[in-house]
Amino acid sequence: MEKFISKPYLKDVKDNYIRVGSYSVINESKQKRSRSKYINEVSVFLSHKHDEINELENVIALLNTLGVELYIDWLDEGMPKETSGVTATKLKSRINSCSKFIFLATDGAINSKWCNWELGYGDAKKYPQDIAVMPITNQVNSNWDGSEYLQIYPIITYDNQGPYGKLYIEFQGKKTTLDVWLKS
């Protein structure tokens, strides 16, 4: 049975199945030191609301189990301290350089001007095959409404196969596992 990803599910996955502190993220200095390492690996731009740290850490842990490199803008030492046009230019470059784009669809992200700007740019560069929405619900087995415009994107769901479930991408009546999508 497919479900939307809930905050309790993410916390459970991180607490019970994933070593804390083993996150793998891309930042400017890491990419400069080892640029060739990322050419053959899957990289994901993770669009998210900065103040939702718990959800973000849990999603990072979950996605790291799939062997992807994540780009998290506020962990990038090369990003300006204050948002500006330079921020937007750097974000565009990162969205272009990452092979996939995932919008972490929390209520905060849906209401964020920066997250929506990133999604709009990602839409122009990655739609439909390399972009997905990961809805995060507050409760297990609850529905997710999001915003109307999010209904046009592939969506990440899970079912409870295995120790922490199996993740899928669903779009236009088709369903594939998240790990296959990430490598496509």
Side-chain angles (χ1 to χ4, degrees):
M1 177 175 151
E2 291 82 26
K3 301 176 184 179
F4 293 113
I5 297 167
S6 67
K7 291 177 185 179
Y9 163 77
L10 286 171
K11 183 175 180 344
D12 183 54
V13 168
K14 181 181 170 197
D15 291 348
N16 293 305
Y17 301 102
I18 300 166
R19 284 185 340 193
V20 176
S22 62
Y23 306 139
S24 178
V25 296
I26 300 170
N27 64 45
E28 189 168 298
S29 61
K30 184 176 182 182
Q31 194 167 27
K32 282 180 183 175
R33 286 192 310 267
S34 180
R35 184 172 304 274
S36 63
K37 177 181 176 190
Y38 300 104
I39 291 172
N40 297 318
E41 292 181 4
V42 177
S43 58
V44 175
F45 182 97
L46 188 59
S47 180
H48 62 284
K49 184 79 167 102
H50 288 193
D51 61 359
E52 296 176 327
I53 297 297
N54 289 334
E55 291 80 14
L56 180 61
E57 286 181 344
N58 294 340
V59 169
I60 290 169
L62 178 64
L63 292 174
N64 276 178
T65 66
L66 298 172
V68 300
E69 291 288 337
L70 296 170
Y71 177 76
I72 311 295
D73 59 353
W74 56 271
L75 294 176
D76 188 342
E77 300 154 358
M79 287 299 259
K81 299 294 179 209
E82 299 291 323
T83 56
S84 66
V86 172
T87 306
T89 300
K90 286 183 176 262
L91 288 173
K92 286 171 71 172
S93 175
R94 291 297 179 194
I95 291 168
N96 288 334
S97 69
C98 287
S99 49
K100 300 289 184 180
F101 180 104
I102 295 177
F103 178 74
L104 188 57
T106 61
D107 291 339
I110 291 168
N111 293 315
S112 163
K113 67 180 179 180
W114 274 103
C115 290
N116 280 290
W117 179 86
E118 291 168 353
L119 180 61
Y121 188 78
D123 177 280
K125 297 296 179 180
K126 309 267 184 218
Y127 186 78
Q129 70 276 4
D130 294 323
I131 191 169
V133 172
M134 180 183 277
I136 305 297
T137 62
N138 288 324
Q139 302 296 321
V140 176
N141 296 327
S142 63
N143 288 331
W144 178 78
D145 295 323
S147 286
E148 300 84 10
Y149 65 93
L150 294 175
Q151 295 172 5
I152 68 169
Y153 297 106
I155 197 161
I156 299 173
T157 61
Y158 86 101
D159 67 24
N160 29 356
Q161 297 177 22
Y164 53 88
K166 188 111 177 135
L167 297 165
Y168 294 94
I169 294 280
E170 297 186 36
F171 187 58
Q172 296 178 339
K174 296 178 183 166
K175 180 175 166 179
T176 188
T177 60
L178 183 59
D179 57 335
V180 167
W181 176 79
L182 286 166
K183 295 173 186 167
S184 66

